């Protein structure tokens, strides 16, 4: 199909969609005014389980089984990426070269690194109390580690990031979620029922199993994102193409390094 | 205009699909897919909004305060996580395509290779 025909097919489809969608929108209850029966019940259920963050309660308590599926999507996507971006038989690995990094950039990254790490861990730990949780905090924590790549270079990052440990961490996070679910079965309830004591509202130890599942997800997301980024960085920095490379700038991506990375922050 | 948030979601969806249809670069196409998916976040959050509602987190707010719908917010969270991982997986596929076929133009990838 030529691109002109494709565009026309799109335009016809888009016009149809726009008409039907707009008609549906004008039939929807007005913005901001509708009663929310499920929302009201979710708030009630979360408060009865002493979980201040209702979204965490929905994810890790009321819909904990769905979150297991969601976590598995994350888990399998990371595995898929690891398999896709492995070193092929005809490729070879070269050591990343040190490159210069501007002192202000390095200072900024080194200064931000501990705070970013702390914020990430804080967001994971307070998932059941304040906005955030394992998914959000995990991404912050994993990204914070990569400030080291900006501050020093890839070799410094590789030294503080034993990849095997993070691969185990990812599997452990997924396993901890399932084990918590079966622990509820052993305690005489259904899979993933909240069987732990609920604690006091708005304290760190509140929420029962929501707290445990939140930590498991935090571990998995942190490890998963680190493994994911490591595979992409490997492709950009370490793994070389077999044969010719027709002028694509894939080897210039290995910047952010300096020769004298004698210290290891973090 | 109370339907505007819903219509914005539809517009984001269409602009994302338009990008997908006219894309000449698979990286760009993956970005367009992310834009298309972000329309669902807007739609979900628009459906869950209540006038005068605050965030559904009762750490500081009194327990009888009016909050926006937490269920759709949890759905949006799920949506974002799945979207991010699928984007990563697609980008990994593009990296391999670039290596094996030497191009990221979807129109140049028509032939089958055994």
């Amino acid at each position: 199909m030529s691109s002109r025909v494709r565009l026309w097919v799109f335009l016809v489809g888009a016009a149809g969609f726009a008409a039907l969608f707009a008609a549906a929108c004008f039939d929807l209850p007005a913005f901001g005014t509708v009663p929310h029966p499920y929302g009201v019940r979710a708030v009630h259920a979360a408060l009865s389980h002493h979980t201040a963050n209702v979204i965490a309660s929905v994810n890790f308590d009321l819909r904990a089984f769905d979150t297991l599926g969601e976590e598995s999507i994350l888990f399998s996507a990371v595995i898929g990426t690891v398999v896709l971006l492995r070193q092929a038989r005809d490729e070879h690995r070269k050591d990343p070269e040190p490159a210069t990094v501007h002192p202000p950039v390095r200072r900024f990254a080194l200064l931000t690194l501990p705070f970013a790490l702390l914020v990430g861990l804080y967001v994971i730990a307070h998932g059941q109390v304040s906005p955030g949780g394992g998914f959000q905090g995990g991404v912050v924590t994993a990204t914070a580690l990569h400030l080291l790549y900006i501050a020093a270079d890839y070799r410094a990052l590789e030294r503080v990031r034993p990849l095997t440990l993070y691969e185990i961490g990812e599997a452990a996070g997924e396993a901890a979620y399932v084990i918590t679910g079966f622990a509820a079965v052993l305690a005489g309830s259904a899979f993933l029922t909240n069987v732990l004591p609920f604690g006091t509202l708005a304290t760190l130890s509140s929420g029962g199993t929501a707290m445990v599942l939140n930590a498991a997800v935090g571990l998995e997301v942190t490890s998963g994102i680190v493994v994911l980024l490591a595979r992409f960085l490997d492709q950009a920095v370490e793994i070389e193409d077999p044969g010719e490379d027709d002028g694509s700038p894939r080897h210039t991506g290995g910047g952010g390094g300096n020769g004298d990375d004698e210290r290891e922050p973090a | 205009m109370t339907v505007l948030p819903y219509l914005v979601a539809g517009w984001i969806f269409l602009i994302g699909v338009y990008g997908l249809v006219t894309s000449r670069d698979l990286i760009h196409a993956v970005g367009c897919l992310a834009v298309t998916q972000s329309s669902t976040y807007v739609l979900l959050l628009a459906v869950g909004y209540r006038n005068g509602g605050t965030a559904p987190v009762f750490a500081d707010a009194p327990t009888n305060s009016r909050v926006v719908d937490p269920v759709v917010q949890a759905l949006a969270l799920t949506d974002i996580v799945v979207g991010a991982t699928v984007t990563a997986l697609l980008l990994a596929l593009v990296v391999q395509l670039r290596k094996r076929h030497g191009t990221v133009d979807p129109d140049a990838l028509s032939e089958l290779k055994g």
Side-chain angles (χ1 to χ4, degrees):
Chain A
M1 202 187 324
S2 77
S3 57
R4 183 178 290 259
V5 176
R6 193 164 36 182
L7 189 62
W8 274 109
V9 171
F10 164 75
L11 287 177
V12 171
F17 170 82
L20 291 176
F21 186 80
C25 283
F26 281 97
D27 247 10
L28 276 177
F31 177 67
T33 54
V34 243
H36 289 275
Y38 292 111
V40 169
R41 281 166 179 75
V43 168
H44 185 73
L47 288 176
S48 72
H49 284 187
H50 300 194
T51 314
N53 181 357
V54 184
I55 298 156
S57 175
V58 171
N59 269 327
F60 299 118
D61 192 354
L62 310 177
R63 294 178 70 242
F65 192 62
D66 300 73
T67 307
L68 176 62
E70 181 192 359
E71 212 194 4
S72 306
I73 292 177
L74 178 81
F75 187 68
S76 41
V78 171
I79 291 179
T81 309
V82 166
V83 171
L84 275 174
L85 293 183
R86 69 193 185 282
Q87 187 179 2
R89 217 172 299 135
D90 50 353
E91 291 171 335
H92 50 270
R93 207 169 258 270
K94 69 168 169 99
D95 283 334
E97 287 164 22
T100 47
V101 58
H102 290 298
V105 175
R106 186 212 277 186
R107 272 199 296 273
F108 172 75
L110 287 181
L111 210 70
T112 339
L113 175 66
F115 291 106
L117 261 182
L118 194 67
V119 167
L121 294 175
Y122 174 92
V123 171
I124 296 179
H126 289 74
Q128 65 279 17
V129 182
S130 62
F135 286 110
Q136 300 93 321
V139 174
V140 176
T141 312
T143 322
L145 276 179
H146 290 82
L147 280 171
L148 198 58
Y149 174 58
I150 296 173
D153 66 1
Y154 196 52
R155 292 180 300 168
L157 177 64
E158 279 188 324
R159 256 179 279 150
V160 298
R161 186 206 60 188
L163 207 53
T164 324
L165 215 63
Y166 285 99
E167 281 167 354
I168 295 172
E170 204 211 347
E174 175 85 13
Y177 201 105
V178 179
I179 289 170
T180 311
F182 278 115
V185 176
L186 287 183
S189 305
F191 186 61
L192 282 170
T193 311
N194 198 342
V195 286
L196 288 180
F198 296 139
T200 318
L201 183 76
T203 57
L204 257 190
S205 56
S206 62
T209 52
M211 175 185 63
V212 182
L213 297 177
N214 182 44
V217 166
L219 176 64
E220 185 187 339
V221 173
T222 307
S223 313
I225 301 285
V226 167
V227 172
L228 208 64
L229 286 176
R231 293 299 161 165
F232 279 103
L233 284 173
D234 269 357
Q235 290 288 331
V237 182
E238 284 197 352
I239 293 181
E240 284 199 316
D241 245 357
E244 85 293 332
D245 197 4
D246 47 341
S248 79
R250 62 191 301 265
H251 294 300
T252 56
N258 60 328
D260 54 338
D261 53 323
E262 70 288 335
R263 74 257 114 81
E264 282 185 19
Chain B
M1 181 104 170
T2 56
V3 291
L4 191 61
Y6 306 135
L7 293 179
V8 166
W11 181 78
I12 296 175
F13 175 83
L14 282 178
I15 209 80
V17 177
Y18 171 78
L20 271 175
V21 168
T22 57
S23 177
R24 302 300 308 273
D25 183 324
L26 285 174
I27 305 253
H28 171 258
V30 174
C32 290
L33 191 65
V35 171
T36 310
Q37 189 172 21
S38 64
S39 68
T40 57
Y41 315 154
V42 177
L43 186 64
L44 280 172
L45 296 182
V47 165
Y49 182 71
R50 292 168 92 182
N51 284 330
T54 179
V57 176
F58 293 98
D60 299 320
T63 50
N64 58 357
S65 49
R66 174 191 276 218
V67 294
V68 298
D69 196 329
V71 178
V72 287
Q73 295 212 353
L75 290 177
L77 171 62
T78 309
D79 203 354
I80 291 168
V81 174
V82 172
T85 51
V86 167
T87 302
L89 198 59
L90 287 174
L91 286 176
L93 277 170
V94 175
V95 167
Q96 288 298 348
L97 262 178
R98 167 70 181 77
K99 277 199 216 164
R100 300 298 152 199
H101 297 261
T103 178
V104 288
D105 184 352
D107 287 340
L109 287 168
S110 50
E111 76 211 74
L112 285 173
K113 275 193 180 177

